[in-house]
Amino acid sequence: MEKKRVGVLSLQGSFAEHMRSVFRSGGIPVRVTDSVSLDCADALIIPGGESTTLRYLLTQEGLKHSLEHRVRKGMPVYGTCAGAIVLAKSIAGEKSFMPLMNISVERNAYGAQLDSFEKDLSVKGFPKPVHAVFIRAPRIHAGVGVEVLAHAGKDVVLAREKNMLVSTFHPELTADLRIHQLFMRLMD
Amino acid sequence: MSVSSFTLKSGLAQMLKGGVIMDVVNASQARVAERAGAVAVMALERVPADIRAAGGVARMAAPRKIKEIQRVVSIPVMAKARIGHFAEAQVLEALKVDFIDESEVLTPADEEFHIDKTRFAVPFVCGAVDLGQALRRIHEGAAMIRTKGEAGTGNVVEAVRHIRAIQSEFLLLKKMSAKQLSAAAEEMGVPLNSVKSVRETGRLPVVNFAAGGIATPADASLVMQLGVEGVFVGSGIFKSSHPLKTAHAIVEATHYFDRPERVMKASEHMEEPMRGLEMGSLPIRLAKRGF
């Protein structure tokens, strides 16, 4: 079987960790920094980082337009934390950026770094729990058509709509590859 | 307060990679920094260039100042505590800052001990001029390292020296025998295991940014090409003729450090950088503080 070429938006944030997880999951990580490199990828991961910085850079690079186009045409995309904010239909108190997925988000919803936490989650379809790392995480609310795959307490933390997957935690910071594998199955 | 796991502490540093952290002294500067694409701001009373000019004792910023900055930005807010001044750090933790910089830019409070950072839930970044300092700080619980450079000078030479010092020590470790390795660990005052793992990976176990003297887009590109994972810019932004333009330009150059045409464009977009200082003209070398 041909290896999957998974792009990782490599402007700012935890992109190196995502590339490592893609590689360990048997995919070919592709470093995406502009529209040309985006063309070389069959899917895209938008990493954790600072969403204000990511949004600023995506606009500067003209990448926003081609990315939006590709996702609308069905390219699988996975946003972690800041990446989820980038894809949300609405952002509390701010203008939405790339309103692709029917979720609304609250940035830094849990507070400061001191309120960051780790938690074991049960994920739909996974026999064993996932140890999840939440860092200055946003809170998401799923709209119509969005399938919720995991909760932490009452909060939705992993969700999917068609070709789009988002998590408010960081699977790239742990050695568990199951979330990346789940995403890569969207490419089949 | 429960001590949060090292994964959470170092994880926040991972999220900052590829970014620029900017020194700010008030809310309006913090807004400029966030608008320009900073990944975090460092709240302090005065930027290093002014600390240098003012002399006297430089301390942690006033809580009211830090709160004012926390109110206006959504990006992480860092603040500086004096070396060894764990009570200042406790105040900063109570303020819920996102990161504490135990910094040589402020006047040291303890000449023998750095802060025991394992006792805090908030992550720490610390300065280092060589591998020994970096590993000692990490052993004390630092979740991020920045090479010290020489703050407030607009002169990148010391930043380069410290980055290169750490890298040449990586190479030295690689060539060492087991016996030499334990001697090196003893000399650095760190456990043998941490030296061994550095030798294995050829890098520090935490995120490593550059600081101290970065004033232009090309400076940012230089240190990034030398291998650091992001930059701290102190006086370089708000001591330049047009802070917003400078901030934008340095953010651009940090993200596209390996694309000269982008660094060129970024350089075109800025006006006058801060005035720089020659190392020989300095009465106080901040990088010599700490041990």
Side-chain angles (χ1 to χ4, degrees):
Chain A
M1 205 178 85
E2 205 163 306
K3 285 199 170 185
K4 292 170 177 169
R5 305 172 61 87
V6 182
V8 178
L9 184 68
S10 304
L11 296 173
Q12 192 272 314
S14 56
F15 52 86
E17 291 75 11
H18 271 297
M19 301 242 261
R20 188 181 56 198
S21 298
V22 166
F23 180 74
R24 288 185 180 159
S25 302
I28 302 174
V30 178
R31 185 169 177 259
V32 172
T33 57
D34 53 19
S35 328
V36 180
S37 41
L38 180 62
D39 283 341
C40 304
D42 303 319
L44 185 74
I45 295 174
I46 306 177
E50 276 312 311
S51 67
T52 49
T53 310
L54 276 176
R55 284 178 279 175
Y56 167 74
L57 288 164
L58 280 167
T59 318
Q60 295 292 302
E61 194 52 26
L63 193 52
K64 182 177 181 233
H65 183 76
S66 39
L67 178 54
E68 227 172 321
H69 181 72
R70 289 281 305 273
V71 176
R72 283 191 201 285
K73 282 181 70 179
M75 176 184 74
V77 65
Y78 170 30
T80 53
C81 198
I85 295 166
V86 168
L87 297 170
K89 193 157 265 178
S90 75
I91 306 172
E94 291 175 46
K95 248 179 32 202
S96 67
F97 182 71
M98 225 186 260
L100 292 165
M101 185 163 172
N102 197 15
I103 53 170
S104 57
V105 299
E106 286 167 67
R107 296 183 54 209
N108 303 334
Y110 300 90
Q113 169 63 12
L114 283 173
D115 307 300
S116 292
F117 60 99
E118 294 175 70
K119 201 172 170 63
D120 287 332
L121 309 172
S122 66
V123 174
K124 208 170 171 178
F126 289 13
K128 283 189 188 148
V130 168
H131 184 71
V133 180
F134 294 85
I135 294 173
R136 296 179 88 249
R139 186 177 276 135
I140 58 181
H141 302 276
V144 177
V146 175
E147 183 191 7
V148 174
L149 300 171
H151 285 97
K154 282 184 186 155
D155 298 330
V156 175
V157 295
L158 179 68
R160 176 196 168 180
E161 182 187 14
K162 290 177 280 191
N163 54 327
M164 293 170 285
L165 181 72
V166 291
S167 70
T168 59
F169 58 92
H170 293 281
E172 77 278 15
L173 294 184
T174 64
D176 189 340
L177 300 172
R178 287 176 293 165
I179 302 289
H180 285 85
Q181 289 160 350
L182 172 77
F183 173 58
M184 285 162 68
R185 283 200 292 277
L186 296 182
M187 300 170 74
D188 295 336
Chain B
M1 187 164 291
S2 81
V3 174
S4 77
S5 82
F6 198 70
T7 311
L8 289 178
K9 292 179 177 177
S10 60
L12 178 56
Q14 314 273 50
M15 297 309 140
L16 302 174
K17 282 192 300 189
V20 182
I21 298 166
M22 300 181 192
D23 278 0
V24 299
V25 300
N26 56 41
S28 74
Q29 289 189 353
R31 276 198 207 96
V32 168
E34 185 174 49
R35 236 179 86 201
V39 289
V41 291
M42 176 73 71
L44 70 180
E45 206 81 43
R46 289 192 279 257
V47 296
D50 289 335
I51 290 176
R52 239 175 228 296
V57 173
R59 312 182 180 94
M60 167 188 85
R64 141 186 71 75
K65 263 270 148 59
I66 296 170
K67 282 186 172 167
E68 167 192 325
I69 290 164
Q70 285 173 317
R71 266 198 298 274
V72 300
V73 294
S74 62
I75 54 179
V77 175
M78 303 184 163
K80 288 183 193 290
R82 285 180 262 177
I83 289 173
H85 207 315
F86 54 85
E88 280 189 351
Q90 287 163 349
V91 171
L92 294 175
E93 183 165 78
L95 274 166
K96 289 194 141 198
V97 301
D98 296 293
F99 235 106
I100 297 174
D101 183 358
E102 185 183 19
S103 177
E104 70 284 357
V105 169
L106 305 184
T107 311
D110 192 323
E111 298 197 320
E112 199 175 349
F113 296 102
H114 279 252
I115 297 170
D116 177 0
K117 293 161 276 284
T118 60
R119 300 171 72 100
F120 287 80
V122 66
F124 277 75
V125 54
C126 289
V129 300
D130 55 31
L131 186 59
Q133 279 192 1
L135 293 179
R136 284 194 291 280
R137 298 296 86 79
I138 294 165
H139 186 58
E140 291 157 1
M144 181 177 181
I145 291 294
R146 53 173 177 75
T147 46
K148 286 180 181 171
E150 190 59 31
T153 61
N155 188 340
V156 80
V157 65
E158 294 301 301
V160 169
R161 186 193 317 281
H162 301 152
I163 296 165
R164 286 203 186 278
I166 291 178
Q167 282 168 351
S168 59
E169 285 173 285
F170 286 151
L171 293 177
L172 280 176
L173 285 185
K174 286 238 184 269
K175 293 183 197 142
M176 284 184 188
S177 66
K179 206 170 158 192
Q180 288 172 315
L181 211 58
S182 50
E186 197 172 321
E187 198 187 327
M188 289 183 202
V190 294
L192 180 57
N193 270 347
S194 58
V195 179
K196 274 186 178 160
S197 88
V198 165
R199 165 165 132 141
E200 201 115 301
T201 57
R203 48 160 301 145
L204 293 176
V206 299
V207 170
N208 179 16
F209 273 41
I214 294 151
T216 67
D219 286 348
S221 165
L222 173 68
V223 293
M224 291 295 287
Q225 289 188 59
L226 288 174
V228 298
E229 299 171 287
V231 298
F232 282 85
V233 185
S235 320
I237 308 260
F238 291 99
K239 286 287 157 188
S240 68
S241 65
H242 195 305
L244 182 62
K245 285 187 182 173
T246 306
H248 271 302
I250 292 182
V251 167
E252 284 272 313
T254 303
H255 294 288
Y256 298 105
F257 67 91
D258 54 354
R259 310 229 312 243
E261 73 288 353
R262 296 299 302 260
V263 179
M264 176 203 74
K265 269 199 195 140
S267 311
E268 268 180 345
H269 290 151
M270 70 174 273
E271 292 177 10
E272 282 295 298
M274 73 178 282
R275 210 183 117 71
L277 295 169
E278 183 64 55
M279 287 306 137
S281 71
L282 301 180
I284 297 179
R285 297 286 283 267
L286 302 176
K288 295 212 189 307
R289 295 169 168 176
F291 25 85

